[in-house]
């Protein structure tokens, strides 16, 4: 393995951990702290997020049970041609935008459950559920709902920071195309040709990430240096996605990030995490917020685009469709 595939020393800046409890006690104060972190790093670390530890543990247990299944059993849940929207994306398929080497991961996607005849069924396919893990469906629907609730609270704070009504985002994400991703990075051999997740930005509105305690997550700062994101047990890493960056004319920035390979003594340890990609509803037209356009910051995105069309455009770029 070449040395550049081992996690390098990064700068010693630290992203402050914010308590979501403060959003109730001091809504504007919390919103300002969250917004400043997003403007500086594109990321924030949030504790007291309201996702119950028992729900997290239940989902983690079910995810690990699934990834421990034999490879042929897991691959039966791979649905080619769907862009990985549901079920399994096997190891060695996803590639970061503009990268040549594949990421060293496999993952499972759970989407929103829609009632029969819902108008978004054409853009949001039904979930598939592995029968080999008895508690899988219930565990994932429980944590999906908990992520959704935490995300709504964070969006309310983001709206305040942008000087919008706190309820601004409620309709934009109603029945949104959000996705829960269960990630498994297997142990890494000494001759690994690439890294666990190449440098990329997220497509969606905001991402909420649990389970990143195993080192490796890094973000790229404005000066180009890489910063390791260190969090405590149970804390959330929250970052801005490209859709929110586009909506806010770059006021809130979608930051390049990656997951580096571990140092030699940790290569034999698998890494698991659960990001929740919170999306706008498919028909939401992403148009630059007027309040983010100034003489110093002209409109970078004069053409509107629906959230679904933008998603399809980006999925083609990372070779999932």
């Amino acid at each position: 393995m070449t040395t550049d595939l081992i996690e390098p020393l990064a700068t010693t800046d630290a992203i402050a951990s914010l308590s979501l409890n403060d959003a109730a006690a001091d809504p504007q104060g919390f919103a300002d702290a969250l917004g400043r972190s997003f403007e500086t790093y594109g990321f924030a670390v949030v504790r007291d997020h309201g996702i119950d530890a028992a729900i997290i543990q239940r989902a983690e247990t079910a995810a690990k049970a699934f990834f421990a299944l034999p490879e042929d059993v897991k691959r039966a849940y791979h649905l080619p041609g769907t862009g990985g929207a549901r079920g399994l994306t096997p190891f060695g398929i996803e590639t970061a935008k503009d990268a040549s080497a594949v990421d060293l991961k496999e993952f499972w996607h759970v989407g929103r459950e829609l009632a029969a005849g819902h108008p978004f069924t054409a853009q949001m396919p039904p979930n598939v559920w592995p029968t080999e893990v008895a508690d899988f469906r219930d565990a994932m629907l429980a944590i999906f709902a908990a992520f959704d609730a935490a995300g709504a609270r964070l969006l309310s704070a983001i709206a305040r920071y942008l000087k919008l009504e706190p309820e601004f985002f409620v309709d934009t994400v109603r029945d949104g195309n959000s996705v829960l991703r269960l990630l498994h990075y297997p142990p890494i051999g000494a001759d690994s040709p690439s890294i666990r997740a190449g440098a990329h930005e997220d497509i969606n509105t905001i991402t909420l990430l649990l389970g990143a305690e195993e080192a490796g997550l890094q973000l790229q700062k404005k000066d180009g240096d890489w910063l390791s994101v260190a969090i405590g047990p149970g804390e959330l890493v929250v970052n801005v996605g490209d859709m929110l960056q586009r909506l806010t004319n770059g006021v809130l920035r979608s930051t390049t990030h990656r997951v580096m390979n571990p140092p030699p003594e940790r290569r034999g340890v698998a890494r698991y995490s659960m990001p929740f990609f919170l999306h706008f509803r498919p028909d939401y037209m992403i148009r630059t917020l007027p309040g983010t356009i100034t003489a110093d910051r002209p409109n970078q995105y004069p053409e509107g685009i629906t959230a679904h069309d933008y998603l399809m455009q980006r999925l083609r770029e990372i070779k999932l469709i």
Side-chain angles (χ1 to χ4, degrees), residues 188-201:
I188 295 172
D191 57 350
S192 171
S194 57
I195 62 174
R196 280 179 159 168
H200 66 283
E201 300 82 41

Side-chain angles (χ1 to χ4, degrees), residues 158-286:
I158 291 169
R160 286 183 184 274
Y161 184 71
L162 295 170
K163 297 180 172 57
L164 303 168
E165 291 298 319
E167 299 80 19
F168 174 84
F169 286 104
V170 171
D171 188 58
T172 72
V173 299
R174 195 185 309 277
D175 291 339
N177 193 11
S178 299
V179 174
L180 170 65
R181 174 179 284 188
L182 312 175
L183 266 168
H184 173 220
Y185 302 93
I188 295 172
D191 57 350
S192 171
S194 57
I195 62 174
R196 280 179 159 168
H200 66 283
E201 300 82 41
D202 289 348
I203 300 170
N204 48 295
T205 310
I206 58 172
T207 300
L208 290 71
L209 172 68
L210 279 171
E213 289 92 343
E214 184 71 28
L217 177 62
Q218 295 184 338
L219 65 87
Q220 190 169 37
K221 301 194 303 177
K222 292 178 181 178
D223 62 7
D225 287 346
W226 289 93
L227 171 64
S228 293
V229 182
I231 67 170
E235 289 186 322
L236 272 178
V237 177
V238 184
N239 63 278
V240 174
D242 289 348
M243 291 184 183
L244 185 59
Q245 174 177 263
R246 186 181 182 108
L247 183 72
T248 64
N249 201 30
V251 171
L252 302 183
R253 65 193 195 96
S254 178
T255 298
T256 302
H257 54 287
R258 63 189 182 185
V259 180
M260 294 300 294
N261 292 346
E265 66 272 15
R266 299 294 294 175
R267 287 183 197 156
V269 178
R271 186 180 194 271
Y272 298 89
S273 64
M274 290 189 295
F276 182 77
F277 301 109
L278 194 155
H279 277 259
F280 294 127
R281 64 175 197 266
D283 64 351
Y284 179 66
M285 182 63 70
I286 306 173

